[in-house]
Amino acid sequence: MTAKAAQPDLRDDFPDSPARRAVVAVVRGFGAVQRQMGPYFAQFDLTPPQFQMLTVIHRLQDEPVSQRRLGRELYVSFPNITVMLSRMEAAKLIRRRANPLDRREKFVELTRRGESLLNRIWKVHQQQLEHVTAGLNSSEREQLTGLLNKLIFHHVPEESKMETTGVHSKT
Amino acid sequence: MTAKAAQPDLRDDFPDSPARRAVVAVVRGFGAVQRQMGPYFAQFDLTPPQFQMLTVIHRLQDEPVSQRRLGRELYVSFPNITVMLSRMEAAKLIRRRANPLDRREKFVELTRRGESLLNRIWKVHQQQLEHVTAGLNSSEREQLTGLLNKLIFHHVPEESKMETTGVHSKT
DNA sequence: GCAAAATGGTTAACTATTAAACTATCTGCC
DNA sequence: GGCAGATAGTTTAATAGTTAACCATTTTGC
């Protein structure tokens, strides 16, 4: 915080603002959550995205689920789904099954191993979530959720017009 | 939502809760912010983490800044700093200079190109931040910031005891 | 009925990120 | 003085994510 002379316009730093503080807080908040969830899931030989994948497949699997569907649900690009599923298939957590009626398509389902892992995690998961959000009381948690959802859903007008290679990148 | 018979305990789905909704919202909020900031920074041939790096170096560079210092400021692992800086050095945005008094250490500084890019971005950055946070009014933005900071700082008791290979992973 | 367009998935190349293992240098202490 | 341990940085091997380019099938439209 010493030298301040010389340079011309370089020292007019970026102005702070509520908008900037909010964006920074969102990014940091995510980082904090990730740093807590990472080691927790590692204990089950999973990563956070893989856990998300498992829960989504579980939730949808009353009927056949395609990989594209998973991409849309997880807000993640289709190529990424391919590689994540390949790893999870190697770990025998999920299975890909060709759709006999449309040979382009592959359905994804949990193996028994995947199901039972999910059940095992769920037994302790609520407790972990409580731990992560321990800084806030119940009403503050709801408030936070509400504000973030408002932030999120302000953009995303007509919620599915995409479909290029990537996800919602309609550019 | 049809078949519901067979399986034993598999259908008792994971229970929702304020804690879970909050964590999910934080993750989604981050995703939404990223999807907006990515293309914006791409316009300047930068990525969001690279922009963060530039701003931190700019803020600190009144005195020599080591790479380790940057890792702590950015909450990012030291190896990651190495590779990010290598790319940014190749792009001539920053420069590494050996500390003559301690040859292990390297100081990092912005090049003129880095400085001027940062200035160029700052001219329109506030507007971009306003756009991203457009769903919330000013007081809601402050509220969101406050809640997230409360969430974040609940953990992190004695704020710097780390230093292994990674970041704050004192495990 | 067939060619063009759309759809589902994969591969390739890149950035970001981590943990673990390694190199180089410096410091403390006997 | 010299070695043990600490400190700064890098390399390696993973996972996750992106876009762009590609292959295979299916649908459409004439």
Side-chain angles (χ1 to χ4, degrees):
Chain A
M1 309 304 184
T2 43
K4 196 172 175 83
Q7 287 104 336
D9 66 341
L10 297 190
R11 294 254 47 99
D12 66 319
D13 277 327
F14 182 66
D16 207 5
S17 69
R20 177 166 187 273
R21 282 190 293 275
V23 168
V24 167
V26 168
V27 172
R28 296 235 169 111
F30 173 76
V33 167
Q34 282 309 91
R35 275 190 295 279
Q36 302 239 298
M37 297 309 272
Y40 162 70
F41 282 122
Q43 172 190 7
F44 300 102
D45 282 311
L46 274 187
T47 63
Q50 286 173 354
F51 173 72
Q52 278 314 111
M53 179 72 87
L54 289 182
T55 59
V56 168
I57 297 171
H58 175 84
R59 174 162 57 81
L60 299 177
Q61 80 176 345
D62 280 336
E63 49 193 86
V65 198
S66 71
Q67 302 193 183
R68 258 176 141 75
R69 177 81 192 281
L70 292 174
R72 281 186 294 265
E73 291 283 334
L74 290 163
Y75 286 84
V76 140
S77 67
F78 302 127
N80 191 20
I81 295 292
T82 293
V83 315
M84 277 188 65
L85 288 180
S86 297
R87 275 192 281 263
M88 293 174 75
E89 192 168 41
K92 299 199 192 308
L93 295 171
I94 62 104
R95 186 187 310 121
R96 285 192 254 221
R97 185 166 53 82
N99 177 357
L101 300 171
D102 180 344
R103 299 205 323 279
R104 291 169 302 184
E105 202 170 44
K106 296 178 183 174
F107 293 140
V108 178
E109 41 197 38
L110 295 184
T111 59
R112 187 177 324 219
R113 187 153 145 47
E115 285 281 4
S116 81
L117 177 58
L118 209 40
N119 279 314
R120 193 147 63 82
I121 293 175
W122 279 345
K123 287 196 173 57
V124 296
H125 199 54
Q126 183 57 37
Q127 184 189 331
Q128 169 68 11
L129 293 173
E130 292 292 335
H131 174 69
V132 169
T133 56
L136 303 178
N137 65 35
S138 187
S139 122
E140 288 170 327
R141 290 172 196 173
E142 298 284 24
Q143 225 182 322
L144 176 60
T145 304
L147 288 167
L148 284 167
N149 284 334
K150 215 168 155 188
L151 179 74
I152 294 165
F153 292 118
H154 179 76
H155 304 282
V156 201
E158 338 106 72
E159 43 60 82
S160 44
K161 41 130 61 133
M162 80 260 79
E163 303 308 305
T164 61
T165 294
V167 207
H168 307 258
S169 53
K170 64 291 197 109
T171 308
Chain B
M1 309 302 184
T2 42
K4 197 171 176 81
Q7 286 104 335
D9 68 340
L10 297 190
R11 294 251 48 97
D12 67 318
D13 277 327
F14 181 65
D16 207 6
S17 69
R20 177 167 187 271
R21 283 191 294 274
V23 168
V24 167
V26 168
V27 173
R28 296 235 168 112
F30 173 76
V33 167
Q34 282 309 90
R35 276 190 293 280
Q36 302 240 299
M37 297 309 274
Y40 162 70
F41 283 122
Q43 172 189 8
F44 300 101
D45 283 311
L46 275 186
T47 63
Q50 287 172 353
F51 175 72
Q52 278 314 111
M53 179 71 87
L54 289 181
T55 60
V56 168
I57 298 171
H58 175 85
R59 174 162 57 81
L60 299 177
Q61 79 176 346
D62 280 336
E63 48 193 88
V65 197
S66 72
Q67 301 192 183
R68 257 175 141 76
R69 177 79 191 283
L70 292 174
R72 282 187 294 265
E73 290 284 334
L74 289 164
Y75 285 83
V76 142
S77 69
F78 302 128
N80 191 17
I81 295 293
T82 294
V83 317
M84 279 189 64
L85 288 181
S86 297
R87 275 193 279 266
M88 293 174 75
E89 192 169 40
K92 297 198 192 309
L93 295 171
I94 62 104
R95 186 187 310 121
R96 283 192 255 221
R97 185 165 54 82
N99 177 358
L101 300 171
D102 181 345
R103 301 206 319 280
R104 290 171 303 184
E105 200 171 45
K106 296 179 184 174
F107 293 141
V108 178
E109 42 197 38
L110 296 184
T111 59
R112 189 178 321 221
R113 187 152 145 49
E115 284 281 4
S116 81
L117 177 58
L118 208 40
N119 279 314
R120 193 147 63 83
I121 292 175
W122 279 346
K123 286 196 173 58
V124 296
H125 198 54
Q126 182 57 37
Q127 184 189 329
Q128 170 68 10
L129 293 172
E130 293 292 334
H131 175 68
V132 169
T133 56
L136 303 178
N137 66 35
S138 187
S139 119
E140 288 170 327
R141 290 172 197 172
E142 298 284 23
Q143 224 181 322
L144 176 61
T145 305
L147 289 167
L148 283 167
N149 284 333
K150 213 168 155 187
L151 179 74
I152 294 165
F153 293 117
H154 178 75
H155 304 283
V156 202
E158 338 107 71
E159 43 60 81
S160 44
K161 41 129 61 134
M162 80 262 78
E163 303 307 306
T164 61
T165 294
V167 206
H168 308 258
S169 53
K170 65 285 195 111
T171 306

